[in-house]
Amino acid sequence: MASLPATRRFSVDEYYQMAAAGILSEDDRVELIEGEIIEMAAIGSRHAACVMRLTRLFSLGVGDAALVLVQNPVRLSDLSEPQPDLALLKPRADYYAAAHPGPDDVLLIVEVADSSVVYDRTVKTPLYARAGIREFWLVDLERQQVEVSREPAAGSYHAAQVHGRGDRLAVDALPQIQISVEAILGD
């Protein structure tokens, strides 16, 4: 019986050592997911516009109640450090200069999917649930909807809703912020 070769998984520390050694550069669009270095899809104009809208909406809405993290790392474990499109974080005086935020620091993670919706649903959603991220939004640009997932337990989210145009969303941790799906998706 033939066996498949084993894959080599990398830790977050080894991932950073590769960057320090010049194997990975700042210009590489990669993230570490469950020990594998994943090349991220190119950011198209619809995706970029949606991230800019989200950044503006949340920056104006949260005030001092949260920090808005845009396409920067969140360290979920020793094997995973994704770079979500947007995250809302608990405020910290050092703005996370001492270390990247971890699961306990995250109020919300948002991923915007233009061409990556299957990957985001099958890989990113369970990854965030396993890490205990309490709320995750997946903006599906193709279907023009926002999937809201809450209540992570046992590697999955136990509360999920799909919202379309005409709906308003609030972050559980910051219910005072109300955002319309139209404002997220644009025209």
Side-chain angles (χ1 to χ4, degrees):
M1 172 190 287
S3 63
L4 296 174
T7 57
R8 165 69 161 89
R9 298 205 185 272
F10 298 98
S11 70
V12 172
D13 292 337
E14 291 169 323
Y15 178 64
Y16 278 99
Q17 289 171 3
M18 285 185 245
I23 296 167
L24 298 173
S25 76
E26 281 189 17
D27 295 331
D28 288 328
R29 289 203 23 85
V30 296
E31 59 186 356
L32 188 67
I33 305 295
E34 298 292 19
E36 294 182 1
I37 299 170
I38 306 296
E39 191 168 355
M40 296 187 295
I43 296 175
S45 59
R46 284 189 338 156
H47 183 283
C50 185
V51 172
M52 283 191 277
R53 281 191 298 276
L54 284 162
T55 302
R56 186 167 197 283
L57 290 165
F58 281 121
S59 294
L60 292 172
V62 299
D64 293 330
L67 297 175
V68 180
L69 181 80
V70 181
Q71 296 175 333
N72 280 307
V74 174
R75 186 172 185 163
L76 299 180
S77 70
D78 288 339
L79 295 175
S80 293
E81 193 174 271
Q83 296 180 31
D85 287 308
L86 187 134
L88 295 182
L89 307 175
K90 293 177 182 174
R92 248 181 45 187
D94 74 341
Y95 288 80
Y96 296 90
H100 290 308
D104 291 339
D105 302 310
V106 176
L107 303 172
L108 168 71
I109 284 183
V110 181
E111 292 283 1
V112 176
D114 197 358
S115 62
S116 64
V117 71
V118 172
Y119 179 77
D120 288 336
R121 274 196 198 109
T122 61
V123 176
K124 291 278 189 86
T125 302
L127 176 75
Y128 292 137
R130 283 191 304 275
I133 300 300
R134 64 172 124 181
E135 186 166 356
F136 170 61
W137 294 5
L138 176 58
V139 179
D140 183 341
L141 294 176
E142 195 60 40
R143 289 193 175 135
Q144 295 285 290
Q145 62 190 28
V146 180
E147 300 169 19
V148 175
S149 299
R150 296 182 174 120
E151 299 178 23
S156 65
Y157 285 101
H158 294 276
Q161 293 179 316
V162 177
H163 298 274
R165 293 183 180 275
D167 293 338
R168 295 188 66 75
L169 306 175
V171 179
D172 263 1
L174 303 166
Q176 70 276 20
I177 300 166
Q178 298 281 320
I179 297 175
S180 71
V181 173
E182 282 89 353
I184 294 170
L185 297 172
D187 297 330

Short mmCIF file of all heavy atoms in Angstrom, two decimals, residues 129-184:
data_model
loop_
_atom_site.label_atom_id
_atom_site.label_comp_id
_atom_site.label_asym_id
_atom_site.label_seq_id
_atom_site.Cartn_x
_atom_site.Cartn_y
_atom_site.Cartn_z
N ALA A 129 -13.52 29.84 14.33
CA ALA A 129 -14.35 29.20 15.36
C ALA A 129 -13.48 28.41 16.33
O ALA A 129 -13.67 28.49 17.55
CB ALA A 129 -15.40 28.29 14.72
N ARG A 130 -12.52 27.64 15.80
CA ARG A 130 -11.62 26.85 16.68
C ARG A 130 -10.82 27.75 17.61
O ARG A 130 -10.51 27.38 18.74
CB ARG A 130 -10.68 25.99 15.84
CG ARG A 130 -11.32 24.74 15.28
CD ARG A 130 -10.31 23.77 14.69
NE ARG A 130 -9.47 24.34 13.66
CZ ARG A 130 -9.77 24.43 12.37
NH1 ARG A 130 -10.96 24.00 11.94
NH2 ARG A 130 -8.93 24.94 11.50
N ALA A 131 -10.48 28.94 17.13
CA ALA A 131 -9.70 29.88 17.94
C ALA A 131 -10.57 30.61 18.96
O ALA A 131 -10.05 31.32 19.82
CB ALA A 131 -9.00 30.89 17.04
N GLY A 132 -11.88 30.46 18.85
CA GLY A 132 -12.78 31.12 19.79
C GLY A 132 -13.11 32.56 19.44
O GLY A 132 -13.55 33.32 20.32
N ILE A 133 -12.92 32.94 18.18
CA ILE A 133 -13.30 34.29 17.76
C ILE A 133 -14.81 34.39 17.89
O ILE A 133 -15.55 33.67 17.21
CB ILE A 133 -12.84 34.58 16.31
CG1 ILE A 133 -11.31 34.46 16.20
CG2 ILE A 133 -13.34 35.94 15.84
CD1 ILE A 133 -10.52 35.39 17.09
N ARG A 134 -15.28 35.28 18.74
CA ARG A 134 -16.70 35.27 19.10
C ARG A 134 -17.65 35.72 18.01
O ARG A 134 -18.83 35.37 18.03
CB ARG A 134 -16.93 36.07 20.37
CG ARG A 134 -16.61 37.54 20.25
CD ARG A 134 -17.04 38.27 21.49
NE ARG A 134 -15.94 39.00 22.09
CZ ARG A 134 -16.04 39.70 23.17
NH1 ARG A 134 -17.17 39.76 23.80
NH2 ARG A 134 -15.01 40.35 23.64
N GLU A 135 -17.13 36.51 17.05
CA GLU A 135 -18.00 36.95 15.96
C GLU A 135 -17.18 37.10 14.68
O GLU A 135 -16.11 37.70 14.69
CB GLU A 135 -18.67 38.27 16.31
CG GLU A 135 -19.69 38.72 15.31
CD GLU A 135 -20.59 39.84 15.83
OE1 GLU A 135 -20.47 40.23 17.00
OE2 GLU A 135 -21.41 40.31 15.02
N PHE A 136 -17.72 36.53 13.60
CA PHE A 136 -17.05 36.55 12.30
C PHE A 136 -18.07 36.91 11.23
O PHE A 136 -19.15 36.33 11.18
CB PHE A 136 -16.44 35.17 12.01
CG PHE A 136 -15.93 35.00 10.61
CD1 PHE A 136 -14.93 35.81 10.11
CD2 PHE A 136 -16.46 34.02 9.78
CE1 PHE A 136 -14.47 35.66 8.81
CE2 PHE A 136 -16.01 33.86 8.48
CZ PHE A 136 -15.01 34.69 8.00
N TRP A 137 -17.70 37.89 10.39
CA TRP A 137 -18.54 38.26 9.26
C TRP A 137 -17.82 37.90 7.98
O TRP A 137 -16.64 38.22 7.81
CB TRP A 137 -18.82 39.76 9.24
CG TRP A 137 -19.65 40.31 10.36
CD1 TRP A 137 -20.12 39.65 11.47
CD2 TRP A 137 -20.07 41.66 10.50
NE1 TRP A 137 -20.82 40.50 12.27
CE2 TRP A 137 -20.81 41.76 11.70
CE3 TRP A 137 -19.92 42.81 9.73
CZ2 TRP A 137 -21.38 42.94 12.14
CZ3 TRP A 137 -20.47 44.00 10.17
CH2 TRP A 137 -21.21 44.06 11.36
N LEU A 138 -18.53 37.28 7.06
CA LEU A 138 -18.01 36.99 5.73
C LEU A 138 -18.85 37.80 4.73
O LEU A 138 -20.05 37.55 4.59
CB LEU A 138 -18.09 35.50 5.42
CG LEU A 138 -17.67 35.07 4.01
CD1 LEU A 138 -16.24 35.49 3.70
CD2 LEU A 138 -17.84 33.57 3.85
N VAL A 139 -18.20 38.76 4.09
CA VAL A 139 -18.88 39.58 3.10
C VAL A 139 -18.70 38.89 1.75
O VAL A 139 -17.58 38.79 1.24
CB VAL A 139 -18.29 41.01 3.05
CG1 VAL A 139 -19.01 41.84 1.99
CG2 VAL A 139 -18.37 41.68 4.43
N ASP A 140 -19.79 38.38 1.20
CA ASP A 140 -19.78 37.68 -0.07
C ASP A 140 -20.19 38.68 -1.15
O ASP A 140 -21.38 38.98 -1.32
CB ASP A 140 -20.75 36.49 -0.01
CG ASP A 140 -20.77 35.65 -1.26
OD1 ASP A 140 -20.32 36.13 -2.33
OD2 ASP A 140 -21.25 34.50 -1.19
N LEU A 141 -19.20 39.20 -1.88
CA LEU A 141 -19.48 40.22 -2.88
C LEU A 141 -20.26 39.68 -4.06
O LEU A 141 -21.08 40.39 -4.65
CB LEU A 141 -18.17 40.86 -3.36
CG LEU A 141 -17.40 41.66 -2.31
CD1 LEU A 141 -16.08 42.15 -2.87
CD2 LEU A 141 -18.24 42.81 -1.78
N GLU A 142 -20.04 38.43 -4.40
CA GLU A 142 -20.74 37.84 -5.54
C GLU A 142 -22.24 37.71 -5.26
O GLU A 142 -23.07 38.05 -6.11
CB GLU A 142 -20.15 36.47 -5.89
CG GLU A 142 -20.54 35.95 -7.23
CD GLU A 142 -20.11 36.85 -8.39
OE1 GLU A 142 -19.00 37.42 -8.35
OE2 GLU A 142 -20.92 37.01 -9.32
N ARG A 143 -22.57 37.23 -4.08
CA ARG A 143 -23.99 37.05 -3.72
C ARG A 143 -24.61 38.30 -3.09
O ARG A 143 -25.79 38.30 -2.76
CB ARG A 143 -24.13 35.88 -2.76
CG ARG A 143 -23.89 34.55 -3.43
CD ARG A 143 -24.35 33.44 -2.52
NE ARG A 143 -24.23 32.18 -3.22
CZ ARG A 143 -23.74 31.08 -2.68
NH1 ARG A 143 -23.33 31.07 -1.44
NH2 ARG A 143 -23.66 29.97 -3.38
N GLN A 144 -23.78 39.31 -2.85
CA GLN A 144 -24.26 40.57 -2.27
C GLN A 144 -24.92 40.33 -0.91
O GLN A 144 -26.05 40.75 -0.65
CB GLN A 144 -25.24 41.27 -3.22
CG GLN A 144 -24.58 41.73 -4.52
CD GLN A 144 -23.73 42.98 -4.27
OE1 GLN A 144 -24.26 44.04 -4.02
NE2 GLN A 144 -22.41 42.83 -4.33
N GLN A 145 -24.18 39.62 -0.03
CA GLN A 145 -24.70 39.33 1.30
C GLN A 145 -23.58 39.29 2.32
O GLN A 145 -22.41 39.19 1.97
CB GLN A 145 -25.46 38.00 1.30
CG GLN A 145 -24.61 36.80 0.94
CD GLN A 145 -25.44 35.55 0.73
OE1 GLN A 145 -26.62 35.62 0.34
NE2 GLN A 145 -24.85 34.39 0.97
N VAL A 146 -23.98 39.37 3.58
CA VAL A 146 -23.03 39.27 4.69
C VAL A 146 -23.48 38.11 5.57
O VAL A 146 -24.62 38.09 6.05
CB VAL A 146 -22.96 40.57 5.51
CG1 VAL A 146 -21.96 40.43 6.66
CG2 VAL A 146 -22.60 41.76 4.62
N GLU A 147 -22.59 37.15 5.76
CA GLU A 147 -22.87 36.00 6.62
C GLU A 147 -22.28 36.30 8.00
O GLU A 147 -21.08 36.55 8.12
CB GLU A 147 -22.23 34.75 6.04
CG GLU A 147 -22.76 34.41 4.65
CD GLU A 147 -21.96 33.34 3.94
OE1 GLU A 147 -21.22 32.58 4.60
OE2 GLU A 147 -22.08 33.27 2.69
N VAL A 148 -23.11 36.31 9.01
CA VAL A 148 -22.70 36.62 10.38
C VAL A 148 -22.68 35.33 11.19
O VAL A 148 -23.70 34.65 11.29
CB VAL A 148 -23.65 37.67 11.02
CG1 VAL A 148 -23.28 37.91 12.48
CG2 VAL A 148 -23.62 38.97 10.21
N SER A 149 -21.52 35.01 11.75
CA SER A 149 -21.36 33.79 12.55
C SER A 149 -20.99 34.16 13.97
O SER A 149 -20.09 34.98 14.19
CB SER A 149 -20.28 32.89 11.94
OG SER A 149 -20.64 32.51 10.63
N ARG A 150 -21.67 33.52 14.92
CA ARG A 150 -21.43 33.79 16.35
C ARG A 150 -21.49 32.48 17.13
O ARG A 150 -21.87 31.46 16.61
CB ARG A 150 -22.49 34.75 16.89
CG ARG A 150 -22.46 36.13 16.26
CD ARG A 150 -23.52 37.04 16.88
NE ARG A 150 -23.39 38.38 16.37
CZ ARG A 150 -24.34 39.03 15.71
NH1 ARG A 150 -25.50 38.46 15.49
NH2 ARG A 150 -24.14 40.26 15.29
N GLU A 151 -21.12 32.55 18.40
CA GLU A 151 -21.18 31.43 19.33
C GLU A 151 -20.28 30.27 18.90
O GLU A 151 -20.75 29.17 18.61
CB GLU A 151 -22.62 30.95 19.51
CG GLU A 151 -23.55 31.99 20.09
CD GLU A 151 -24.98 31.51 20.20
OE1 GLU A 151 -25.21 30.27 20.27
OE2 GLU A 151 -25.87 32.37 20.22
N PRO A 152 -18.96 30.51 18.89
CA PRO A 152 -18.05 29.42 18.54
C PRO A 152 -17.99 28.36 19.65
O PRO A 152 -17.94 28.68 20.83
CB PRO A 152 -16.70 30.13 18.41
CG PRO A 152 -16.81 31.31 19.32
CD PRO A 152 -18.26 31.74 19.26
N ALA A 153 -18.02 27.11 19.23
CA ALA A 153 -17.88 25.99 20.16
C ALA A 153 -17.57 24.74 19.35
O ALA A 153 -18.14 24.53 18.28
CB ALA A 153 -19.15 25.78 20.98
N ALA A 154 -16.66 23.95 19.86
CA ALA A 154 -16.30 22.67 19.24
C ALA A 154 -15.93 22.82 17.76
O ALA A 154 -16.28 22.00 16.94
CB ALA A 154 -17.43 21.66 19.41
N GLY A 155 -15.23 23.91 17.43
CA GLY A 155 -14.71 24.07 16.08
C GLY A 155 -15.67 24.59 15.04
O GLY A 155 -15.35 24.59 13.85
N SER A 156 -16.84 25.03 15.47
CA SER A 156 -17.77 25.61 14.51
C SER A 156 -18.59 26.70 15.20
O SER A 156 -18.59 26.82 16.42
CB SER A 156 -18.68 24.54 13.89
OG SER A 156 -19.51 23.98 14.88
N TYR A 157 -19.29 27.47 14.37
CA TYR A 157 -20.18 28.49 14.91
C TYR A 157 -21.58 27.90 15.02
O TYR A 157 -22.06 27.24 14.12
CB TYR A 157 -20.19 29.72 14.00
CG TYR A 157 -18.93 30.54 14.15
CD1 TYR A 157 -17.91 30.47 13.21
CD2 TYR A 157 -18.76 31.40 15.24
CE1 TYR A 157 -16.75 31.22 13.35
CE2 TYR A 157 -17.60 32.15 15.38
CZ TYR A 157 -16.60 32.06 14.44
OH TYR A 157 -15.46 32.79 14.60
N HIS A 158 -22.22 28.16 16.15
CA HIS A 158 -23.54 27.59 16.40
C HIS A 158 -24.68 28.56 16.12
O HIS A 158 -25.84 28.18 16.24
CB HIS A 158 -23.61 27.04 17.82
CG HIS A 158 -22.69 25.87 17.98
ND1 HIS A 158 -23.06 24.60 17.62
CD2 HIS A 158 -21.41 25.79 18.39
CE1 HIS A 158 -22.04 23.77 17.83
NE2 HIS A 158 -21.03 24.47 18.29
N ALA A 159 -24.35 29.78 15.76
CA ALA A 159 -25.36 30.74 15.36
C ALA A 159 -24.86 31.42 14.09
O ALA A 159 -23.78 32.01 14.09
CB ALA A 159 -25.60 31.77 16.45
N ALA A 160 -25.62 31.30 13.03
CA ALA A 160 -25.21 31.91 11.75
C ALA A 160 -26.46 32.46 11.06
O ALA A 160 -27.51 31.82 11.07
CB ALA A 160 -24.52 30.89 10.87
N GLN A 161 -26.29 33.65 10.50
CA GLN A 161 -27.38 34.28 9.76
C GLN A 161 -26.82 34.91 8.51
O GLN A 161 -25.68 35.39 8.50
CB GLN A 161 -28.05 35.38 10.59
CG GLN A 161 -28.78 34.88 11.81
CD GLN A 161 -29.39 36.03 12.59
OE1 GLN A 161 -28.78 37.06 12.80
NE2 GLN A 161 -30.64 35.84 13.01
N VAL A 162 -27.64 34.94 7.47
CA VAL A 162 -27.27 35.58 6.22
C VAL A 162 -28.10 36.85 6.09
O VAL A 162 -29.33 36.81 6.27
CB VAL A 162 -27.50 34.65 5.01
CG1 VAL A 162 -27.20 35.37 3.71
CG2 VAL A 162 -26.66 33.39 5.15
N HIS A 163 -27.43 37.96 5.81
CA HIS A 163 -28.09 39.25 5.70
C HIS A 163 -27.87 39.82 4.31
O HIS A 163 -26.77 39.74 3.77
CB HIS A 163 -27.54 40.23 6.74
CG HIS A 163 -27.76 39.79 8.15
ND1 HIS A 163 -28.92 40.06 8.83
CD2 HIS A 163 -26.98 39.06 8.99
CE1 HIS A 163 -28.84 39.53 10.04
NE2 HIS A 163 -27.68 38.92 10.15
N GLY A 164 -28.92 40.43 3.77
CA GLY A 164 -28.84 41.05 2.46
C GLY A 164 -29.19 42.52 2.54
O GLY A 164 -29.40 43.08 3.62
N ARG A 165 -29.26 43.13 1.38
CA ARG A 165 -29.63 44.54 1.30
C ARG A 165 -30.95 44.76 2.02
O ARG A 165 -31.85 43.94 1.95
CB ARG A 165 -29.70 44.98 -0.15
CG ARG A 165 -28.33 44.97 -0.82
CD ARG A 165 -28.39 45.49 -2.25
NE ARG A 165 -27.07 45.45 -2.84
CZ ARG A 165 -26.15 46.42 -2.70
NH1 ARG A 165 -26.42 47.49 -1.99
NH2 ARG A 165 -24.97 46.30 -3.28
N GLY A 166 -31.04 45.86 2.73
CA GLY A 166 -32.22 46.16 3.53
C GLY A 166 -32.04 45.79 5.00
O GLY A 166 -32.80 46.23 5.85
N ASP A 167 -31.03 44.97 5.30
CA ASP A 167 -30.76 44.57 6.68
C ASP A 167 -29.73 45.49 7.31
O ASP A 167 -28.91 46.10 6.63
CB ASP A 167 -30.23 43.13 6.73
CG ASP A 167 -31.27 42.09 6.31
OD1 ASP A 167 -32.47 42.40 6.38
OD2 ASP A 167 -30.86 40.99 5.90
N ARG A 168 -29.78 45.53 8.64
CA ARG A 168 -28.78 46.27 9.42
C ARG A 168 -28.08 45.29 10.34
O ARG A 168 -28.70 44.35 10.85
CB ARG A 168 -29.42 47.39 10.23
CG ARG A 168 -30.05 48.48 9.34
CD ARG A 168 -30.52 49.67 10.12
NE ARG A 168 -29.48 50.45 10.77
CZ ARG A 168 -28.64 51.28 10.16
NH1 ARG A 168 -28.67 51.43 8.86
NH2 ARG A 168 -27.75 51.96 10.84
N LEU A 169 -26.80 45.52 10.56
CA LEU A 169 -25.99 44.64 11.40
C LEU A 169 -25.44 45.41 12.59
O LEU A 169 -25.15 46.60 12.50
CB LEU A 169 -24.81 44.09 10.60
CG LEU A 169 -25.14 43.38 9.28
CD1 LEU A 169 -23.85 43.01 8.56
CD2 LEU A 169 -25.98 42.16 9.55
N ALA A 170 -25.29 44.70 13.70
CA ALA A 170 -24.63 45.26 14.88
C ALA A 170 -23.62 44.22 15.36
O ALA A 170 -23.86 43.02 15.27
CB ALA A 170 -25.64 45.56 15.97
N VAL A 171 -22.51 44.69 15.87
CA VAL A 171 -21.50 43.82 16.47
C VAL A 171 -21.97 43.50 17.88
O VAL A 171 -22.34 44.41 18.63
CB VAL A 171 -20.12 44.52 16.50
CG1 VAL A 171 -19.07 43.63 17.14
CG2 VAL A 171 -19.71 44.95 15.10
N ASP A 172 -22.00 42.22 18.25
CA ASP A 172 -22.47 41.84 19.58
C ASP A 172 -21.76 42.62 20.68
O ASP A 172 -22.40 43.07 21.62
CB ASP A 172 -22.26 40.33 19.81
CG ASP A 172 -23.50 39.52 19.53
OD1 ASP A 172 -24.54 40.10 19.13
OD2 ASP A 172 -23.44 38.28 19.69
N ALA A 173 -20.44 42.76 20.58
CA ALA A 173 -19.67 43.43 21.62
C ALA A 173 -19.86 44.95 21.61
O ALA A 173 -19.54 45.61 22.60
CB ALA A 173 -18.19 43.09 21.48
N LEU A 174 -20.37 45.49 20.51
CA LEU A 174 -20.57 46.94 20.37
C LEU A 174 -21.94 47.20 19.75
O LEU A 174 -22.05 47.71 18.63
CB LEU A 174 -19.46 47.54 19.49
CG LEU A 174 -18.02 47.31 19.95
CD1 LEU A 174 -17.05 47.63 18.84
CD2 LEU A 174 -17.72 48.13 21.18
N PRO A 175 -23.02 46.87 20.45
CA PRO A 175 -24.35 46.95 19.85
C PRO A 175 -24.78 48.36 19.46
O PRO A 175 -25.72 48.52 18.67
CB PRO A 175 -25.26 46.37 20.94
CG PRO A 175 -24.50 46.48 22.20
CD PRO A 175 -23.05 46.40 21.84
N GLN A 176 -24.08 49.36 19.95
CA GLN A 176 -24.43 50.73 19.59
C GLN A 176 -24.09 51.06 18.14
O GLN A 176 -24.58 52.02 17.57
CB GLN A 176 -23.75 51.74 20.54
CG GLN A 176 -22.25 51.86 20.37
CD GLN A 176 -21.41 50.82 21.13
OE1 GLN A 176 -21.91 49.76 21.51
NE2 GLN A 176 -20.14 51.11 21.33
N ILE A 177 -23.25 50.23 17.52
CA ILE A 177 -22.86 50.46 16.13
C ILE A 177 -23.81 49.67 15.23
O ILE A 177 -23.86 48.45 15.28
CB ILE A 177 -21.41 50.01 15.89
CG1 ILE A 177 -20.47 50.79 16.80
CG2 ILE A 177 -21.02 50.19 14.43
CD1 ILE A 177 -19.09 50.20 16.87
N GLN A 178 -24.55 50.38 14.42
CA GLN A 178 -25.48 49.78 13.47
C GLN A 178 -24.99 50.11 12.06
O GLN A 178 -24.79 51.28 11.74
CB GLN A 178 -26.89 50.36 13.66
CG GLN A 178 -27.48 50.08 15.04
CD GLN A 178 -28.02 48.68 15.15
OE1 GLN A 178 -28.63 48.16 14.22
NE2 GLN A 178 -27.80 48.05 16.28
N ILE A 179 -24.80 49.08 11.23
CA ILE A 179 -24.30 49.28 9.88
C ILE A 179 -25.24 48.58 8.90
O ILE A 179 -25.59 47.41 9.09
CB ILE A 179 -22.88 48.72 9.72
CG1 ILE A 179 -21.91 49.47 10.64
CG2 ILE A 179 -22.40 48.80 8.28
CD1 ILE A 179 -20.51 48.93 10.66
N SER A 180 -25.63 49.29 7.86
CA SER A 180 -26.50 48.67 6.86
C SER A 180 -25.65 47.82 5.90
O SER A 180 -24.50 48.14 5.63
CB SER A 180 -27.27 49.73 6.08
OG SER A 180 -26.41 50.43 5.21
N VAL A 181 -26.26 46.77 5.41
CA VAL A 181 -25.59 45.92 4.43
C VAL A 181 -25.26 46.73 3.18
O VAL A 181 -24.20 46.56 2.58
CB VAL A 181 -26.42 44.66 4.11
CG1 VAL A 181 -25.82 43.86 2.97
CG2 VAL A 181 -26.56 43.80 5.36
N GLU A 182 -26.15 47.66 2.79
CA GLU A 182 -25.88 48.53 1.63
C GLU A 182 -24.60 49.32 1.82
O GLU A 182 -23.83 49.49 0.86
CB GLU A 182 -27.03 49.52 1.39
CG GLU A 182 -28.23 48.93 0.72
CD GLU A 182 -29.23 48.37 1.73
OE1 GLU A 182 -28.93 48.33 2.94
OE2 GLU A 182 -30.30 47.94 1.29
N ALA A 183 -24.39 49.83 3.04
CA ALA A 183 -23.18 50.62 3.29
C ALA A 183 -21.92 49.77 3.14
O ALA A 183 -20.88 50.26 2.72
CB ALA A 183 -23.25 51.24 4.69
N ILE A 184 -22.02 48.49 3.49
CA ILE A 184 -20.88 47.58 3.35
C ILE A 184 -20.64 47.24 1.89
O ILE A 184 -19.51 47.29 1.40
CB ILE A 184 -21.10 46.29 4.17
CG1 ILE A 184 -21.14 46.61 5.66
CG2 ILE A 184 -20.02 45.25 3.86
CD1 ILE A 184 -21.61 45.46 6.54
#
